[in-house]
C-alpha cells in the first residue's frame, strides 16, 4: 500500500506559554507525512520556495518519504503561518497566513503519487484538493482535512470535494461551522449524508470521536502532564489514523480497524505536542508508539458493573 498527501509544507512561527520558535518546519502535509511514514510508503505533493533548505527537505524525507513531487518554485517563498496559544492550549490565534507558492500552484503528480492506494487531502485550498483528487487513479480510500479559513472563504468548493471522499477529519468546531449544526452528532450525520462513510471529530486535549453510519466511538487524548506546542497535533493524528488504515489492506475498514486507527492517531499526536513543531516526532520510534497504544488500551478499559443495572 502507499499513501499520497497534498497539503501545506510550511515555515511556522509559534508562541506558546512555554516558549517560541520564529521559523520552524511545519505544515499540514509535513506533520502528516512524519506520522504516516511509520506505517507505509508516503509520497508528498506540494510546492516550496527557494528559502526551503536541504535540511528541511531531509526532515520531510524521514523514514523514506518520497519528496519527488515537492516542487521548488523559482523566486518563490514557502507558505508561512504564525500563531499564538494562551494558557488554554485548545484554542489559538492565527496572526499571519501567507500562501506564497501555494497561490498559483498547479499540482502535477508523478506516476508513483497518482497510483497511491490511499490519498490524504490535508488542509489547503479545497480547489487544490480537488485538482489532486482528479489526477489520482482510483485510490481505495480518500480522507480529507480542512479548516475554518476555507469554510469561510471557499465553502462550496469544500463541500464539493467532501462529497467525493470516504473520510472527513475535522476539529469539532469546524464540523459545526461547516454544517451550521451546533450538535456534534447531527453535524457529523450531515457530513455522512454528503457522501463520506467515516467522520472523525478532533477535540484537542479531550481526544477524538469517530462517527459512522453504524456507530460512535470516542477516545480521550493520551493523559500527558507536559504539553509544549499543540501545532500539528491534528495532522499528526491524521497521519497515524490514515497511515494505520493504509497498512491494513481491508476495504472498507471494519469498525475494529477504525478503532485501532484512532488509538494510533492518538498516540502519535501525544508525542507531537511534547515539543515544538516536528522536533519530537522526527526522532520517535515505533516501540514508543506501541507503548502508548498499549497504555491507551489500559487507561480506557471499561469494566461492566452489573450492579448498576439491577433493579428492585
Ligand atoms: P494543526 O495544528 O494540526 O491544525 O496544523 C497546524 C499546521 O497547519 C501548521 O504547521 C501550519 O503551517 C498549517 N496551516 C495553518 N494555516 C493553514 C492554512 N490556511 N492552510 C494550510 N495549512 C495551514
Amino acid at each position: 500500500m502507499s499513501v499520497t498527501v497534498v497539503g501545506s509544507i510550511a515555515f511556522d512561527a509559534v508562541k506558546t506559554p512555554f516558549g517560541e520558535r520564529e521559523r520552524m518546519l511545519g505544515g499540514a502535509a509535513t506533520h502528516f507525512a512524519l506520522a504516516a511514514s511509520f506505517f507505509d510508503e508516503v509520497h508528498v505533493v506540494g510546492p516550496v520556495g527557494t528559502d526551503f533548505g536541504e535540511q528541511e527537505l531531509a526532515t520531510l524525507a524521514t523514514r523514506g518519504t518520497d519528496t519527488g513531487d515537492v516542487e521548488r518554485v523559482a523566486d518563490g517563498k514557502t507558505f508561512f503561518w504564525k500563531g499564538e496559544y494562551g494558557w488554554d492550549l485548545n484554542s489559538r490565534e492565527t496572526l499571519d497566513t501567507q500562501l506564497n507558492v501555494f497561490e498559483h500552484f498547479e499540482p502535477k503528480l508523478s506516476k508513483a503519487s497518482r497510483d497511491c492506494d490511499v490519498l490524504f487531502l490535508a488542509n489547503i485550498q479545497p480547489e487544490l484538493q480537488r485538482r489532486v483528487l482528479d489526477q489520482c487513479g482510483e485510490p481505495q480510500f480518500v480522507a480529507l482535512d480542512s479548516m475554518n479559513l476555507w469554510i469561510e472563504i471557499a465553502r462550496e468548493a469544500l463541500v464539493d470535494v467532501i462529497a467525493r471522499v470516504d473520510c472527513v477529519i475535522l476539529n469539532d468546531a469546524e464540523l459545526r461551522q461547516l454544517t451550521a449544526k451546533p450538535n456534534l452528532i447531527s453535524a457529523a450525520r450531515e457530513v455522512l449524508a454528503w457522501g463520506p462513510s467515516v467522520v472523525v471529530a478532533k477535540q484537542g486535549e479531550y481526544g477524538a470521536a469517530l462517527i459512522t453510519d453504524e456507530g460512535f466511538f470516542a477516545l480521550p487524548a493520551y493523559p500527558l502532564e507536559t504539553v509544549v506546542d499543540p501545532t500539528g497535533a491534528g495532522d499528526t493524528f491524521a497521519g497515524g489514523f490514515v497511515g494505520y488504515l493504509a497498512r491494513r489492506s481491508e476495504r472498507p475498514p471494519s469498525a475494529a480497524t477504525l478503532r485501532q486507527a484512532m488509538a494510533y492517531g492518538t498516540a502519535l499526536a501525544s508525542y507531537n505536542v511534547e515539543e515544538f513543531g516536528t522536533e519530537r516526532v522526527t526522532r520517535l520510534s515505533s516501540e514508543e508508539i506501541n507503548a502508548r497504544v498499549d497504555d491507551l488500551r489500559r487507561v480506557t478499559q471499561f469494566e461492566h458493573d452489573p450492579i448498576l443495572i439491577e433493579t428492585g
Side-chain angles (χ1 to χ4, degrees):
M1 298 286 128
S2 75
V3 185
T4 292
V5 54
V6 61
S8 54
I9 303 167
F11 282 122
D12 288 346
V14 173
K15 189 171 180 189
T16 81
F18 311 102
E20 61 187 300
R21 295 285 186 276
E22 273 182 14
R23 187 179 161 87
M24 62 182 180
L25 175 62
T30 305
H31 288 289
F32 176 91
L34 280 169
S37 57
F38 276 102
F39 303 89
D40 227 313
E41 183 185 311
V42 180
H43 304 271
V44 184
V45 179
V48 295
T50 45
D51 51 351
F52 201 78
E54 286 308 315
Q55 189 161 0
E56 281 94 24
L57 202 60
T59 304
L60 203 51
T62 302
R63 288 177 284 276
T65 289
D66 170 28
T67 56
D69 280 348
V70 174
E71 188 182 321
R72 198 182 291 267
V73 179
D75 302 325
K77 267 180 77 184
T78 300
F79 179 102
F80 177 76
W81 177 77
K82 182 175 182 176
E84 185 169 344
Y85 298 80
W87 286 103
D88 176 3
L89 293 169
N90 275 327
S91 68
R92 69 178 171 214
E93 195 184 350
T94 289
L95 301 173
D96 196 4
T97 301
Q98 296 171 17
L99 287 180
N100 295 333
V101 289
F102 268 102
E103 216 158 333
H104 302 290
F105 177 57
E106 193 52 61
K108 290 175 282 305
L109 273 65
S110 62
K111 184 165 169 21
S113 294
R114 281 199 312 268
D115 289 349
C116 61
D117 304 294
V118 172
L119 174 64
F120 184 61
L121 303 168
N123 178 25
I124 200 64
Q125 296 101 301
E127 177 55 25
L128 270 179
Q129 295 178 315
R130 182 192 63 77
R131 277 187 250 156
V132 168
L133 187 54
D134 285 348
Q135 283 182 48
C136 283
E138 296 245 310
Q140 298 168 5
F141 190 82
V142 183
L144 168 147
D145 187 9
S146 191
M147 72 180 297
N148 54 354
L149 175 67
W150 309 120
I151 299 170
E152 279 152 28
I153 68 172
R155 184 180 179 280
E156 211 173 307
L158 178 60
V159 172
D160 285 350
V161 71
I162 285 177
R164 297 173 58 190
V165 307
D166 302 289
C167 172
V168 170
I169 305 176
L170 284 177
N171 292 338
D172 56 358
E174 292 162 351
L175 263 175
R176 293 186 176 101
Q177 186 187 3
L178 175 67
T179 57
K181 288 193 186 292
N183 176 282
L184 185 62
I185 304 299
S186 53
R189 293 258 172 260
E190 171 91 14
V191 173
L192 291 172
W194 295 344
S197 51
V198 180
V199 172
V200 176
K202 296 175 284 181
Q203 298 168 308
E205 72 174 297
Y206 305 111
L210 172 90
I211 302 104
T212 64
D213 281 332
E214 288 76 42
F216 176 87
F217 174 72
L219 260 192
Y222 185 87
L224 283 179
E225 289 193 27
T226 313
V227 176
V228 168
D229 171 23
T231 309
D235 307 305
T236 306
F237 173 92
F241 180 83
V242 174
Y244 182 82
L245 294 180
R247 178 71 167 268
R248 300 284 304 263
S249 37
E250 175 192 281
R251 300 285 176 264
S254 67
T257 298
L258 288 168
R259 285 199 291 268
Q260 293 283 346
M262 291 278 286
Y264 278 93
T266 301
L268 270 145
S270 74
Y271 282 109
N272 176 78
V273 302
E274 286 183 335
E275 293 180 27
F276 273 92
T278 59
E279 290 166 15
R280 182 67 181 95
V281 178
T282 306
R283 49 170 225 284
L284 190 62
S285 72
S286 44
E287 289 74 23
E288 289 173 307
I289 299 169
N290 287 333
R292 283 206 179 158
V293 169
D294 280 346
D295 280 351
L296 273 168
R297 283 203 192 100
R298 266 196 301 279
V299 168
T300 58
Q301 209 166 38
F302 176 74
E303 298 280 354
H304 178 57
D305 181 356
I307 294 166
L308 287 175
I309 54 164
E310 263 176 23
T311 52

